[in-house]
Amino acid sequence: MNNSALKYTINLTNMTDMTDACQNLEEIENMQTNTDNKISVLNSVNFPADLKDFNIDKLKALSMELRDFILESVSKTGGHLSSNLGTVELTIAIHHIFNTPYDRLIWDVGHQSYPHKILTGRKDKMHTLRQLDGISGFPKRSESEYDAFGTAHSSTSISAAMGMAKASQIKKEKRISIAVIGDGAMSAGMAFEAMNNAGADKGLPLLVILNDNDMSISPAVGALNKYLARLLSGKFYAATKKGLNKVLKVAPPVLELAKKVEEHAKGMITPATLFEEFGFNYIGPIDGHDLNALIPTLRNIQHIIQQGQGPQFLHIVTKKGQGYKLAEADPILYHGPGKFNPHEGITSNYSVSSNKTYTQIFSDWVCKKAAEDNKLIAVTPAMREGSGLVEFEKQYPDRYFDAGIAEQHSVTFAAGLACEGLKPVVAIYSTFLQRAYDQLIHDVTLQNLPVIFAIDRAGLVGADGATHAGNYDLAYLRCIPNLSLLAASNAQELSDMLDIAYAQNNPVAVRYPRGNAIIDNNNQKIIWGKSSILYTANFEDNTQVKTAILAFGSMVNPCLNIGKRINATVVNMRFIKPIDKELIKDICKDYTHVIMAEEGCLMGGAGSACLEEISKLKLKNIPKTLLLGLPDEYIDHGDTAKLLALNGLDENGIYSSIQDFIN
């Protein structure tokens, strides 16, 4: 046996003992490294070039300091924690091996990119994370040249990376494109569409890294897979495989037999077959927290791609919350926490309000309605916690369906349920419903199926920024035939709207904002298609200016306060579609100035719906009109109240705009 073969010899019997011993030794070495390094390793790193010459011990020390830095930083600003603690070693390894930003690195979703931001020149800006005028919580092209592609929605990375890889071929540039995608994002069809397309290009300089953080590997299996990963990514294996293919081409039956043997040998230990059927060379799974495994494997993969051997697929296994015991124990709780004390963890002491959120109001309603009607089915595209279906799943597990990160599928799945006489309720964020627009039109509304859409996060969403803001649902929904659209202004109204929506026999969408619900027990009964006059102005006979405010959803409460201040009639419009035509007609007859206010885009929104009705009226004196809403631009991250104020949609801003308009 030669040295090359000896290098890959392994004693499986003693694997566990060897692994445990190595882990203990590594812990001791890490402790010693930290003690010896009086000057922080992290402080010496400002850009990826600074860690190119680091040895493995220094990289390990960096990973420990980087993890501590992330914990301290996020505890002060809020943000995504579990996912970022899980990608520390991977981030370090990628920037150590690859030539970023020349090599393109794309983080799918991007909620795990904080280590990347810290290592690419933004360490000193982390205290501004997700705050007004601060850095984004997601990759953003305008923020750094190291952010090759802006992300925040899932499953886009492979498509974008393929496009960049193909561009490098066309331009004859020697760059590699890397997509890091989580196991959850792989549930979306778009990821597999991209892989199907990319795998057909045998020379594409593309690496897809599957960050699998929903499973664990025992030491023995982990060590075995580490060995296989290094073997399958090594020069010896690649050269041997290439040579055998060349030799066996003259004997096609033997070549096919060799391929089958290879596939089955790898398939017995790894899930390689699926990904290799797409045309990728599969490597892994390996421990994503083990730099001893990551560094040589990535170096081997880099060499394979540089040799023109086509798209590679690396499967790594990581742990959400790695290194912070509280986050490891409950990664969901620590997925996107607000500010907290890292030494105490998240406690009830950090709750800012005892009021229920709109999401919780929906949760109460859907559980209550399910008890009344066994035909109710709840569907969500992987947003159980965010959309308020945790309790529903506990009470009605047989009627709860998580479609994974697959918005298109979730909507058409609901359409199928409705065809069979069930009553599906799709709980979804406004910004995610955009991704299923064709299914909404073609599969639900065209067939006029009674699917209820509970649209959370309507309007601005604060720290999550433009990628998650629900600014467009009023415009993109109200133009669809057969679909009804309502906007809730308080807790009780949301529950009542869901009740009346559920009673309809056509598709209905009910939108509501993020955050604590306004409590108002003086709601008038909801009548289908009718608005509610909340305050009637008392005009004197000689009053020349008569003002009415037509408010939608979250704008109702501030407009009511303003109406009382300036003696203006205030209407809670409730319905965007069907719009209350009779009310609009009466208002136009009796008032000289009419203001429409909404927390949504002005172009094509609720105010536009009112103007369309006004334009149809054959009146001699049409009132002057003012539309208040969000401008035709993307609104960045920041505190929601501040963002509303900056866009003139807080109470003071609305008051000022109305005064200017009237005067």
Side-chain angles (χ1 to χ4, degrees), residues 52-118:
K52 294 297 183 185
D53 296 329
F54 282 15
N55 60 29
I56 194 70
D57 291 332
K58 201 167 184 180
L59 291 173
K60 289 178 181 179
L62 175 62
S63 70
M64 295 178 68
E65 292 183 16
L66 182 55
R67 185 166 276 112
D68 289 342
F69 185 91
I70 291 168
L71 178 59
E72 289 295 328
S73 178
V74 174
S75 71
K76 292 180 174 64
T77 63
H80 293 100
L81 182 61
S82 297
S83 54
N84 284 288
L85 293 177
T87 57
V88 168
E89 288 82 7
L90 175 63
T91 306
I92 290 172
I94 289 173
H95 284 301
H96 176 70
I97 294 297
F98 292 95
N99 183 26
T100 56
Y102 182 77
D103 288 331
R104 308 306 194 204
L105 174 57
I106 303 165
W107 298 94
D108 206 284
V109 181
H111 64 315
Q112 77 285 53
S113 63
Y114 296 1
H116 163 79
K117 286 176 179 282
I118 294 166

Side-chain angles (χ1 to χ4, degrees), residues 492-560:
Q492 185 59 51
E493 190 169 68
L494 172 57
S495 183
D496 293 344
M497 283 183 172
L498 290 166
D499 272 337
I500 199 169
Y502 192 81
Q504 305 307 306
N505 198 34
N506 65 285
V508 184
V510 180
R511 82 184 303 249
Y512 45 95
R514 182 179 191 173
N516 293 326
I518 294 172
I519 305 301
D520 187 346
N521 297 319
N522 299 314
N523 294 289
Q524 300 172 19
K525 181 181 178 181
I526 295 180
I527 300 173
W528 187 259
K530 295 298 180 181
S531 54
S532 170
I533 299 177
L534 302 181
Y535 181 78
T536 303
N538 182 19
F539 299 120
E540 298 178 359
D541 293 339
N542 60 351
T543 302
Q544 293 183 342
V545 175
K546 297 180 180 180
T547 305
I549 306 172
L550 311 185
F552 295 86
S554 62
M555 293 292 99
V556 169
N557 195 58
C559 286
L560 179 58

Side-chain angles (χ1 to χ4, degrees), residues 21 25 32 40 64 75 81 192 195-196 254 282 284 309 327-328 333 340 380 428 434 500 522 552 609 617 620:
L25 181 59
Q32 185 64 45
S40 168
M64 295 178 68
S75 71
L81 182 61
F192 286 96
M195 289 189 63
N196 183 57
V254 180
Y282 175 92
Q309 297 186 38
E328 289 179 12
L333 177 64
F340 69 100
T380 184
I428 191 168
Q434 296 165 182
I500 199 169
N522 299 314
F552 295 86
L617 298 175
K620 292 182 179 179

Side-chain angles (χ1 to χ4, degrees), residues 221-284:
V221 178
L224 176 60
N225 278 287
K226 183 194 303 183
Y227 155 70
L228 284 171
R230 296 178 71 167
L231 173 62
L232 297 176
S233 67
K235 296 179 184 178
F236 173 78
Y237 172 82
T240 302
K241 182 177 178 181
K242 184 177 181 181
L244 284 173
N245 285 343
K246 185 176 181 180
V247 171
L248 294 176
K249 275 185 179 179
V250 297
V254 180
L255 176 60
E256 288 303 310
L257 176 62
K259 286 182 177 179
K260 290 183 182 296
V261 170
E262 179 194 30
E263 287 178 4
H264 284 289
K266 293 169 74 176
M268 284 188 296
I269 306 167
T270 70
T273 307
L274 170 65
F275 299 108
E276 296 211 339
E277 286 297 327
F278 279 103
F280 284 73
N281 178 48
Y282 175 92
I283 300 163

Side-chain angles (χ1 to χ4, degrees), residues 443-488:
D443 300 335
V444 175
T445 60
L446 184 62
Q447 303 181 90
N448 201 27
L449 296 171
V451 179
I452 309 304
F453 294 93
I455 304 178
D456 205 331
R457 270 61 166 183
L460 297 177
V461 292
D464 284 333
T467 56
H468 283 61
N471 297 356
Y472 311 107
D473 54 77
L474 291 174
Y476 74 68
L477 290 175
R478 78 174 192 86
C479 61
I480 303 176
N482 295 332
L483 179 68
S484 301
L485 177 58
L486 297 76

Side-chain angles (χ1 to χ4, degrees), residues 606-644:
S608 292
C610 295
L611 291 181
E612 289 165 13
E613 292 304 318
I614 293 173
S615 70
K616 297 174 185 178
L617 298 175
K618 297 179 180 179
L619 299 175
K620 292 182 179 179
N621 297 311
I622 294 178
K624 295 181 179 180
T625 56
L626 172 66
L627 296 185
L628 297 176
L630 297 173
D632 184 27
E633 62 186 53
Y634 290 111
I635 297 171
D636 226 333
H637 51 273
D639 177 75
T640 302
K642 290 181 180 179
L643 293 177
L644 287 171

